[in-house]
Amino acid sequence: MDSEVVPYHWDDRVKLQEDFLYLKGLYERLLQDLATQLNLIHNVDHGVRYWRILIGPWLGYFTQILFDRWSSVHQAINRYDISGTVVLTLNAEDVVPNDMLDFIGAFVGDNWNHSLYSAILQQFTSVICVPGEVSRNARAVNGKEQAGQLKGVRPVLMDLYTRGTGLLRRNRESFLLGSGLSAIDELAVCRRLGQLPNRWRSIPGLPSQLDENKRKWVLGGRSENEFEIAIRALISQYLPKTYLEGYSQLSDQVAGLPWPKHPKMIWSSNSYNSDDVFKAWVALKAEAGSTVVAGQHGGHYGVGRWSFNEDHEIAISDRYLSWGWSKADAGKVFPVGQFNPKRPLKVVHGRLPGALLVTCTMPQQSYVLYSSIVASQWLEYFEDQCRFVARLPKSIQSALTVRFYPHDYGWSQRERWKEKFSNLRLDEGAIPIDELIGQSRLYISTYNATTYLESFNMDVPTVIYWNPEQWELRDSAMPFFESLKEVGIFHESPESAADHVSRIWDNVEEWWHGDKLRRVLADFKNQYCRTPDNLLDQIEKALQGAISSKSVTTHHE
């Protein structure tokens, strides 16, 4: 195409962090105003914390997404003489998501993003917009299809068990859903809390019908610039239906749940983002005095310089259980250890033939902000991986398997790799990753997430590299990564990592079991993926302490 691409405004990483901080403050102001608006619409009187738990993830994501699209549109207008553009005619019912899970499926799709760009162009610029028609709905796979609901015999047996123990349960018992623990450990925690062992399951939300008459409002409050005027106008147009048209239905569903009526404590590690039925229930119980506990559910937490999800989960909880790290400005973070860690493999990796390069993708358009590559920066990330492979000797290249991230997001990973390295072994998820690791002399991680924490606990020789200007670390994490760098585990360029892999390839065991490396690795694991022998003791202490602390605070109030 004879075209020119607008430079991406968040390629300036200083601007990205400054914008994150600005949007974080704006989010707080919008949350206050939206809580007031929704209380008025639904004739309820819930506090800000209730609405933070229920709508906070959507509002945070939408604020950051809209700012990105707004900035790109206005950068194009300011740089070029735009004669006009085509905007497609989209059905509002197909654009407005039903709930948070539906929203997650929508914002990676072209239609939803086209709708948002069109709204900005038509309502907040003077660009001439020529209407067009869309022949089919090209949205991404509906998020509900990825909900991961349990299937088969085990859930049926659990349902029978839940019904059978229903009469014996107490309304004040603690509630665990998606804790991140293994089934055995979660049941053991229930026993330690003095209640019958139980494993609860998520309840799917119900579909709602769009009513455009209920969306004819603009969010009130102070606006400091044109963008803030725009987001206050667009929130009502894109708010998920379950928070507006379907709210009374959601409330009725929550009232009929077979869950404890007055739980002392609620703990989840995986359900505070997209499980709207659970969030609505938690929000209600939190207002009634239940202790809310959140748990870490992946890497980057405690390590990355900024993260909306981490900030949100700490903000909504009375206590936050981490895998080992703490936070000076968040006293509620309680280090316990990794909830369900991988176990060491009983193999001598130095004798194995393969090497495993684990890669990631990101949606082509930004979504929630955390210190990582954003949108089109994935192309630079991909080039880094190619530089790494090209630097390796042919003998190691032939032993290498490149593992793709399961969601391609339209990047055509296979085609790109084949174009660069026609003979490279590629895996798109057909082989379980633990099986690949079990065949590998070296595990090579290329991004800041859970992958290398798991390989550390599996005691697999691991090399990590990424661009530190795109995966920024917080100050407290830097000394630990500097130590990893000193022993050759962490690298800040693909060339440095490839050269190190070449040097140690024939003596991986000697390198991995060196005295200094083992000390450094132990210190790092203790901070970010701790595996204490008394994990359940640590969790019980943290949970009981959270319950006691909340009881004292509530009594004092």
Side-chain angles (χ1 to χ4, degrees), residues 6-24:
V6 177
Y8 189 42
H9 66 107
W10 276 340
D11 283 344
D12 181 343
R13 300 292 293 195
V14 173
K15 179 181 183 297
L16 173 55
Q17 185 171 6
E18 290 174 350
D19 287 346
F20 173 79
L21 295 175
Y22 159 68
L23 294 169
K24 186 177 177 181

PDB file of all heavy atoms in Angstrom, residues 6-24:
ATOM      1  N   VAL A   6       1.534   6.537  11.202  1.00  0.00           N
ATOM      2  CA  VAL A   6       1.804   7.550  12.217  1.00  0.00           C
ATOM      3  C   VAL A   6       2.728   6.953  13.279  1.00  0.00           C
ATOM      4  O   VAL A   6       2.505   5.834  13.738  1.00  0.00           O
ATOM      5  CB  VAL A   6       0.482   8.006  12.878  1.00  0.00           C
ATOM      6  CG1 VAL A   6       0.749   9.014  13.984  1.00  0.00           C
ATOM      7  CG2 VAL A   6      -0.453   8.593  11.837  1.00  0.00           C
ATOM      8  N   PRO A   7       3.787   7.655  13.679  1.00  0.00           N
ATOM      9  CA  PRO A   7       4.647   7.157  14.765  1.00  0.00           C
ATOM     10  C   PRO A   7       3.817   6.912  16.023  1.00  0.00           C
ATOM     11  O   PRO A   7       2.918   7.696  16.347  1.00  0.00           O
ATOM     12  CB  PRO A   7       5.650   8.296  14.980  1.00  0.00           C
ATOM     13  CG  PRO A   7       5.649   9.052  13.693  1.00  0.00           C
ATOM     14  CD  PRO A   7       4.260   8.948  13.145  1.00  0.00           C
ATOM     15  N   TYR A   8       4.119   5.833  16.719  1.00  0.00           N
ATOM     16  CA  TYR A   8       3.312   5.474  17.879  1.00  0.00           C
ATOM     17  C   TYR A   8       3.693   6.344  19.071  1.00  0.00           C
ATOM     18  O   TYR A   8       4.853   6.390  19.478  1.00  0.00           O
ATOM     19  CB  TYR A   8       3.494   4.000  18.211  1.00  0.00           C
ATOM     20  CG  TYR A   8       2.530   3.496  19.254  1.00  0.00           C
ATOM     21  CD1 TYR A   8       1.182   3.863  19.228  1.00  0.00           C
ATOM     22  CD2 TYR A   8       2.948   2.647  20.274  1.00  0.00           C
ATOM     23  CE1 TYR A   8       0.286   3.406  20.179  1.00  0.00           C
ATOM     24  CE2 TYR A   8       2.060   2.173  21.220  1.00  0.00           C
ATOM     25  CZ  TYR A   8       0.734   2.562  21.176  1.00  0.00           C
ATOM     26  OH  TYR A   8      -0.152   2.103  22.126  1.00  0.00           O
ATOM     27  N   HIS A   9       2.710   7.006  19.641  1.00  0.00           N
ATOM     28  CA  HIS A   9       2.994   7.991  20.696  1.00  0.00           C
ATOM     29  C   HIS A   9       3.610   7.357  21.932  1.00  0.00           C
ATOM     30  O   HIS A   9       4.355   8.014  22.660  1.00  0.00           O
ATOM     31  CB  HIS A   9       1.705   8.749  21.060  1.00  0.00           C
ATOM     32  CG  HIS A   9       0.649   7.905  21.708  1.00  0.00           C
ATOM     33  ND1 HIS A   9       0.352   7.995  23.046  1.00  0.00           N
ATOM     34  CD2 HIS A   9      -0.184   6.950  21.208  1.00  0.00           C
ATOM     35  CE1 HIS A   9      -0.623   7.142  23.339  1.00  0.00           C
ATOM     36  NE2 HIS A   9      -0.968   6.501  22.230  1.00  0.00           N
ATOM     37  N   TRP A  10       3.336   6.089  22.200  1.00  0.00           N
ATOM     38  CA  TRP A  10       3.902   5.449  23.380  1.00  0.00           C
ATOM     39  C   TRP A  10       5.228   4.745  23.103  1.00  0.00           C
ATOM     40  O   TRP A  10       5.742   4.019  23.959  1.00  0.00           O
ATOM     41  CB  TRP A  10       2.891   4.500  24.007  1.00  0.00           C
ATOM     42  CG  TRP A  10       1.941   5.236  24.922  1.00  0.00           C
ATOM     43  CD1 TRP A  10       2.125   6.450  25.506  1.00  0.00           C
ATOM     44  CD2 TRP A  10       0.651   4.788  25.365  1.00  0.00           C
ATOM     45  NE1 TRP A  10       1.044   6.799  26.281  1.00  0.00           N
ATOM     46  CE2 TRP A  10       0.116   5.798  26.214  1.00  0.00           C
ATOM     47  CE3 TRP A  10      -0.105   3.645  25.125  1.00  0.00           C
ATOM     48  CZ2 TRP A  10      -1.136   5.682  26.829  1.00  0.00           C
ATOM     49  CZ3 TRP A  10      -1.359   3.526  25.728  1.00  0.00           C
ATOM     50  CH2 TRP A  10      -1.857   4.529  26.580  1.00  0.00           C
ATOM     51  N   ASP A  11       5.817   4.985  21.915  1.00  0.00           N
ATOM     52  CA  ASP A  11       7.213   4.590  21.736  1.00  0.00           C
ATOM     53  C   ASP A  11       8.115   5.445  22.615  1.00  0.00           C
ATOM     54  O   ASP A  11       9.258   5.072  22.900  1.00  0.00           O
ATOM     55  CB  ASP A  11       7.627   4.724  20.268  1.00  0.00           C
ATOM     56  CG  ASP A  11       7.089   3.578  19.417  1.00  0.00           C
ATOM     57  OD1 ASP A  11       6.667   2.550  20.001  1.00  0.00           O
ATOM     58  OD2 ASP A  11       7.091   3.708  18.180  1.00  0.00           O
ATOM     59  N   ASP A  12       7.637   6.595  23.030  1.00  0.00           N
ATOM     60  CA  ASP A  12       8.310   7.431  24.028  1.00  0.00           C
ATOM     61  C   ASP A  12       7.931   6.870  25.397  1.00  0.00           C
ATOM     62  O   ASP A  12       6.853   7.132  25.927  1.00  0.00           O
ATOM     63  CB  ASP A  12       7.853   8.887  23.888  1.00  0.00           C
ATOM     64  CG  ASP A  12       8.537   9.827  24.875  1.00  0.00           C
ATOM     65  OD1 ASP A  12       9.110   9.341  25.879  1.00  0.00           O
ATOM     66  OD2 ASP A  12       8.464  11.052  24.661  1.00  0.00           O
ATOM     67  N   ARG A  13       8.823   6.086  25.976  1.00  0.00           N
ATOM     68  CA  ARG A  13       8.483   5.371  27.203  1.00  0.00           C
ATOM     69  C   ARG A  13       8.365   6.307  28.407  1.00  0.00           C
ATOM     70  O   ARG A  13       7.662   5.995  29.367  1.00  0.00           O
ATOM     71  CB  ARG A  13       9.516   4.286  27.475  1.00  0.00           C
ATOM     72  CG  ARG A  13       9.647   3.239  26.380  1.00  0.00           C
ATOM     73  CD  ARG A  13       8.441   2.365  26.256  1.00  0.00           C
ATOM     74  NE  ARG A  13       8.218   1.506  27.408  1.00  0.00           N
ATOM     75  CZ  ARG A  13       7.402   0.455  27.399  1.00  0.00           C
ATOM     76  NH1 ARG A  13       6.732   0.127  26.300  1.00  0.00           N
ATOM     77  NH2 ARG A  13       7.223  -0.282  28.486  1.00  0.00           N
ATOM     78  N   VAL A  14       9.046   7.438  28.370  1.00  0.00           N
ATOM     79  CA  VAL A  14       8.862   8.428  29.437  1.00  0.00           C
ATOM     80  C   VAL A  14       7.429   8.942  29.396  1.00  0.00           C
ATOM     81  O   VAL A  14       6.758   9.064  30.432  1.00  0.00           O
ATOM     82  CB  VAL A  14       9.873   9.577  29.311  1.00  0.00           C
ATOM     83  CG1 VAL A  14       9.569  10.687  30.324  1.00  0.00           C
ATOM     84  CG2 VAL A  14      11.293   9.065  29.494  1.00  0.00           C
ATOM     85  N   LYS A  15       6.954   9.236  28.182  1.00  0.00           N
ATOM     86  CA  LYS A  15       5.566   9.669  28.020  1.00  0.00           C
ATOM     87  C   LYS A  15       4.602   8.588  28.482  1.00  0.00           C
ATOM     88  O   LYS A  15       3.582   8.878  29.128  1.00  0.00           O
ATOM     89  CB  LYS A  15       5.280  10.010  26.560  1.00  0.00           C
ATOM     90  CG  LYS A  15       3.837  10.450  26.277  1.00  0.00           C
ATOM     91  CD  LYS A  15       3.626  10.739  24.792  1.00  0.00           C
ATOM     92  CE  LYS A  15       2.218  11.254  24.515  1.00  0.00           C
ATOM     93  NZ  LYS A  15       1.174  10.272  24.850  1.00  0.00           N
ATOM     94  N   LEU A  16       4.915   7.326  28.177  1.00  0.00           N
ATOM     95  CA  LEU A  16       4.041   6.227  28.571  1.00  0.00           C
ATOM     96  C   LEU A  16       3.879   6.186  30.086  1.00  0.00           C
ATOM     97  O   LEU A  16       2.757   6.084  30.600  1.00  0.00           O
ATOM     98  CB  LEU A  16       4.603   4.904  28.060  1.00  0.00           C
ATOM     99  CG  LEU A  16       3.900   3.623  28.533  1.00  0.00           C
ATOM    100  CD1 LEU A  16       2.417   3.642  28.215  1.00  0.00           C
ATOM    101  CD2 LEU A  16       4.558   2.391  27.920  1.00  0.00           C
ATOM    102  N   GLN A  17       4.983   6.283  30.819  1.00  0.00           N
ATOM    103  CA  GLN A  17       4.863   6.232  32.279  1.00  0.00           C
ATOM    104  C   GLN A  17       4.153   7.470  32.812  1.00  0.00           C
ATOM    105  O   GLN A  17       3.327   7.373  33.728  1.00  0.00           O
ATOM    106  CB  GLN A  17       6.235   6.097  32.940  1.00  0.00           C
ATOM    107  CG  GLN A  17       6.132   5.917  34.453  1.00  0.00           C
ATOM    108  CD  GLN A  17       7.442   5.573  35.111  1.00  0.00           C
ATOM    109  OE1 GLN A  17       8.492   5.564  34.462  1.00  0.00           O
ATOM    110  NE2 GLN A  17       7.419   5.295  36.393  1.00  0.00           N
ATOM    111  N   GLU A  18       4.439   8.633  32.239  1.00  0.00           N
ATOM    112  CA  GLU A  18       3.744   9.851  32.667  1.00  0.00           C
ATOM    113  C   GLU A  18       2.251   9.746  32.384  1.00  0.00           C
ATOM    114  O   GLU A  18       1.424  10.147  33.216  1.00  0.00           O
ATOM    115  CB  GLU A  18       4.346  11.067  31.958  1.00  0.00           C
ATOM    116  CG  GLU A  18       5.755  11.414  32.418  1.00  0.00           C
ATOM    117  CD  GLU A  18       6.373  12.530  31.597  1.00  0.00           C
ATOM    118  OE1 GLU A  18       5.785  12.897  30.546  1.00  0.00           O
ATOM    119  OE2 GLU A  18       7.435  13.044  31.998  1.00  0.00           O
ATOM    120  N   ASP A  19       1.904   9.208  31.217  1.00  0.00           N
ATOM    121  CA  ASP A  19       0.490   9.046  30.882  1.00  0.00           C
ATOM    122  C   ASP A  19      -0.174   8.041  31.815  1.00  0.00           C
ATOM    123  O   ASP A  19      -1.341   8.218  32.211  1.00  0.00           O
ATOM    124  CB  ASP A  19       0.342   8.578  29.433  1.00  0.00           C
ATOM    125  CG  ASP A  19       0.634   9.679  28.431  1.00  0.00           C
ATOM    126  OD1 ASP A  19       0.697  10.863  28.841  1.00  0.00           O
ATOM    127  OD2 ASP A  19       0.803   9.359  27.236  1.00  0.00           O
ATOM    128  N   PHE A  20       0.548   6.975  32.178  1.00  0.00           N
ATOM    129  CA  PHE A  20      -0.013   6.000  33.116  1.00  0.00           C
ATOM    130  C   PHE A  20      -0.380   6.674  34.431  1.00  0.00           C
ATOM    131  O   PHE A  20      -1.470   6.445  34.979  1.00  0.00           O
ATOM    132  CB  PHE A  20       0.977   4.862  33.364  1.00  0.00           C
ATOM    133  CG  PHE A  20       0.546   3.913  34.450  1.00  0.00           C
ATOM    134  CD1 PHE A  20      -0.394   2.932  34.190  1.00  0.00           C
ATOM    135  CD2 PHE A  20       1.057   4.018  35.731  1.00  0.00           C
ATOM    136  CE1 PHE A  20      -0.810   2.060  35.184  1.00  0.00           C
ATOM    137  CE2 PHE A  20       0.648   3.151  36.739  1.00  0.00           C
ATOM    138  CZ  PHE A  20      -0.292   2.172  36.463  1.00  0.00           C
ATOM    139  N   LEU A  21       0.518   7.501  34.938  1.00  0.00           N
ATOM    140  CA  LEU A  21       0.256   8.177  36.208  1.00  0.00           C
ATOM    141  C   LEU A  21      -0.908   9.159  36.074  1.00  0.00           C
ATOM    142  O   LEU A  21      -1.750   9.268  36.974  1.00  0.00           O
ATOM    143  CB  LEU A  21       1.517   8.892  36.687  1.00  0.00           C
ATOM    144  CG  LEU A  21       2.694   7.967  37.040  1.00  0.00           C
ATOM    145  CD1 LEU A  21       3.936   8.788  37.378  1.00  0.00           C
ATOM    146  CD2 LEU A  21       2.331   7.046  38.204  1.00  0.00           C
ATOM    147  N   TYR A  22      -0.963   9.874  34.951  1.00  0.00           N
ATOM    148  CA  TYR A  22      -2.085  10.788  34.711  1.00  0.00           C
ATOM    149  C   TYR A  22      -3.398  10.015  34.647  1.00  0.00           C
ATOM    150  O   TYR A  22      -4.403  10.396  35.282  1.00  0.00           O
ATOM    151  CB  TYR A  22      -1.872  11.566  33.416  1.00  0.00           C
ATOM    152  CG  TYR A  22      -3.154  12.139  32.841  1.00  0.00           C
ATOM    153  CD1 TYR A  22      -3.836  13.169  33.491  1.00  0.00           C
ATOM    154  CD2 TYR A  22      -3.710  11.618  31.668  1.00  0.00           C
ATOM    155  CE1 TYR A  22      -5.030  13.665  32.977  1.00  0.00           C
ATOM    156  CE2 TYR A  22      -4.893  12.111  31.145  1.00  0.00           C
ATOM    157  CZ  TYR A  22      -5.556  13.137  31.807  1.00  0.00           C
ATOM    158  OH  TYR A  22      -6.733  13.617  31.305  1.00  0.00           O
ATOM    159  N   LEU A  23      -3.415   8.908  33.915  1.00  0.00           N
ATOM    160  CA  LEU A  23      -4.637   8.126  33.748  1.00  0.00           C
ATOM    161  C   LEU A  23      -5.054   7.459  35.054  1.00  0.00           C
ATOM    162  O   LEU A  23      -6.246   7.259  35.307  1.00  0.00           O
ATOM    163  CB  LEU A  23      -4.452   7.082  32.645  1.00  0.00           C
ATOM    164  CG  LEU A  23      -4.272   7.673  31.239  1.00  0.00           C
ATOM    165  CD1 LEU A  23      -3.818   6.595  30.262  1.00  0.00           C
ATOM    166  CD2 LEU A  23      -5.556   8.340  30.758  1.00  0.00           C
ATOM    167  N   LYS A  24      -4.081   7.139  35.873  1.00  0.00           N
ATOM    168  CA  LYS A  24      -4.392   6.568  37.186  1.00  0.00           C
ATOM    169  C   LYS A  24      -5.156   7.589  38.033  1.00  0.00           C
ATOM    170  O   LYS A  24      -6.147   7.251  38.690  1.00  0.00           O
ATOM    171  CB  LYS A  24      -3.094   6.150  37.876  1.00  0.00           C
ATOM    172  CG  LYS A  24      -3.274   5.412  39.182  1.00  0.00           C
ATOM    173  CD  LYS A  24      -1.911   4.982  39.725  1.00  0.00           C
ATOM    174  CE  LYS A  24      -2.052   4.296  41.077  1.00  0.00           C
ATOM    175  NZ  LYS A  24      -0.737   3.886  41.629  1.00  0.00           N
TER     176      LYS A  24
END
